[in-house]
Amino acid sequence: MSTPLANVRVAIVGSGPAGFYAAEALQKAAPGIAIDLIDRLPTPFGLVRGGVAPDHPKIKSVTRIFDRIASQPGFRYIGHVRVGEDVSIDELRARYHVLLLSYGADTDRTLGIPGETLPGSHAATEFVAWYNGNPDYAAAQFDLTQRAVAVVGIGNVAMDVARILAKPTSVLSGTDLADHALQALVSSNVQTIHLVARRGPVQAACTTPELRELGELEGVDVVVNPRDLELDAASEAQLAAMEDRNPAKNLEVLRDWAARPLTGARRQVVLHFNASPVALSGTDGVESMTVVKNRLESDGKGGVRAVATDERYDIPVGVVFRSVGYKGRAIVGVPFDVRNGVVPNIGGRVVEQAGSATTVPGLYVAGWIKRGPQGIIGTNKLCATDTVTQVLADVAAGAIPTISDSLPSLDALLAERQVTVTSWSDWQTLDKEEQARGAAAGRPRVKITNVGEMLEIIGTHRR
């Protein structure tokens, strides 16, 4: 016998955009439906809080929509719960008809080159989490006494990292940048930021607004070699065939920069196209990065591939941030596609293994853990809605598992394990405290970056 949609119990793991948009789609289909949104931190919003650059506050305004979703009947936020540690996937599946995973892709891809483990070599994901106040990275150390750093990659994350390193701290001090990061950036010695891209300007993954911001920074020269903007035949053909005009706009911005005279600004952002790192070297830490120049050729599918040449050169740098992509992580009890760094699925329905057509009843995915690290925040709405469409179809077909009411509830299970669970009301307490601290400092908020302090504030307010 199928369970009526209104009686379906849903757990969503991960409180970023995909998780909230999935909750919203379910609420529209069945107002009042019971949804438990579970996150490992007391603070919600995923990469909206921990990934969006602090100098892009408009993007963070999407949290107003999430606030509305959280206010609907039947919704609960269950924070400070580590799925896979505090509670297992099997224990959740035994208590919910539908388990939807939207915990994102929070680990980085490596370069796979000699010297990558030297001190001073970091994932850009760590740096972004650090300056955004993610408690997991609040104690991280980045040697900003170095005069030159490199950012490998040319997507939007790479743009953010370069911009935060180059931007005047007088501007950053008016944002919600984490206090520890602001203090470190105030005393930063970084003067040259090298952006290293494996392919050419046509293939740059960043959006034009993100790219253009670099050239608008006060006290910063952007250095572009005009020869790097001379397109090969394959790139010319690719550009001509593209419906997306972003690459053409990027090229226009880059050509403008290449024609600009340098001003002798204190800081420089130097772009290296068609260059791949092949080694990091140094004695006690990174001192230099060796890159190989690439040539581009058609891949026969409308794109281009980078082919290494014999030309190499060294870039003296003391810190390297690799920004070559995110990937998801496995959780015990969930199939995982190691090669692609996602949970294998068909349209959001989890399958037993990559390439299989056999679905796991009642188990679904949305967001980056479903499709990989692609798209912007809004992309997650369509992605989550598509997954919920599959959920609704399975509920209507009676294809979701039955669950037993005789098991202890999740609340009881976590209480027995002495897990301190936080609620949406607790988050609102933290939110008010952060905003109050910010108001006192002339900032939008001062983030609390220590989970212990968060729990102490919550506990005090509860009393």
Side-chain angles (χ1 to χ4, degrees), residues 97-110:
H97 299 97
V98 170
L99 178 57
L100 193 155
L101 307 175
S102 60
Y103 60 86
D106 59 0
T107 59
D108 70 288
R109 297 186 183 277
T110 60

Side-chain angles (χ1 to χ4, degrees), residues 343-363:
V343 171
N345 69 93
I346 299 175
R349 293 183 175 105
V350 175
V351 294
E352 291 184 346
Q353 60 183 20
S356 170
T358 305
T359 59
V360 181
L363 191 58

Side-chain angles (χ1 to χ4, degrees), residues 84-102:
E85 297 180 48
D86 296 325
V87 61
S88 72
I89 288 291
D90 288 344
E91 287 169 332
L92 290 176
R93 294 187 64 201
R95 288 164 173 79
Y96 295 89
H97 299 97
V98 170
L99 178 57
L100 193 155
L101 307 175
S102 60

Side-chain angles (χ1 to χ4, degrees), residues 247-263:
K249 292 177 181 177
N250 282 351
L251 193 57
E252 182 180 332
V253 170
L254 291 165
R255 285 173 172 162
D256 176 59
W257 289 348
R260 281 187 195 177
L262 298 181
T263 66

Side-chain angles (χ1 to χ4, degrees), residues 221-267:
D221 278 335
V222 181
V223 181
V224 183
N225 188 333
R227 287 176 295 179
D228 284 344
L229 307 183
E230 298 171 1
L231 303 186
D232 56 277
S235 293
E236 287 273 18
Q238 185 184 32
L239 184 64
M242 284 178 169
E243 293 184 8
D244 180 6
R245 301 315 299 163
N246 190 81
K249 292 177 181 177
N250 282 351
L251 193 57
E252 182 180 332
V253 170
L254 291 165
R255 285 173 172 162
D256 176 59
W257 289 348
R260 281 187 195 177
L262 298 181
T263 66
R266 176 175 177 265
R267 283 180 171 153

Side-chain angles (χ1 to χ4, degrees), residues 88-247:
S88 72
I89 288 291
D90 288 344
E91 287 169 332
L92 290 176
R93 294 187 64 201
R95 288 164 173 79
Y96 295 89
H97 299 97
V98 170
L99 178 57
L100 193 155
L101 307 175
S102 60
Y103 60 86
D106 59 0
T107 59
D108 70 288
R109 297 186 183 277
T110 60
L111 298 171
I113 61 175
E116 191 168 9
T117 59
L118 280 169
S121 172
H122 307 279
T125 54
E126 297 172 0
F127 188 65
V128 170
W130 172 76
Y131 68 62
N132 273 311
N134 184 315
D136 294 339
Y137 296 94
Q141 298 290 320
F142 302 96
D143 184 6
L144 302 186
T145 66
Q146 300 294 328
R147 296 174 68 88
V149 305
V151 183
V152 181
I154 197 164
N156 281 348
V157 173
M159 294 294 112
D160 285 347
V161 170
R163 191 180 65 257
I164 294 298
L165 287 167
K167 199 163 196 169
T169 51
S170 58
V171 178
L172 292 175
S173 63
T175 72
D176 67 356
L177 184 85
D179 269 359
H180 57 252
L182 182 59
Q183 292 165 11
L185 288 165
V186 164
S187 58
S188 168
N189 287 333
V190 174
Q191 294 185 9
T192 306
I193 301 149
H194 298 275
L195 272 168
V196 181
R198 179 169 57 95
R199 294 181 294 177
V202 171
Q203 295 80 32
C206 59
T207 57
T208 304
E210 288 268 1
L211 179 67
R212 189 180 288 118
E213 277 189 87
L214 286 181
E216 297 170 346
L217 294 176
E218 179 186 345
V220 176
D221 278 335
V222 181
V223 181
V224 183
N225 188 333
R227 287 176 295 179
D228 284 344
L229 307 183
E230 298 171 1
L231 303 186
D232 56 277
S235 293
E236 287 273 18
Q238 185 184 32
L239 184 64
M242 284 178 169
E243 293 184 8
D244 180 6
R245 301 315 299 163
N246 190 81

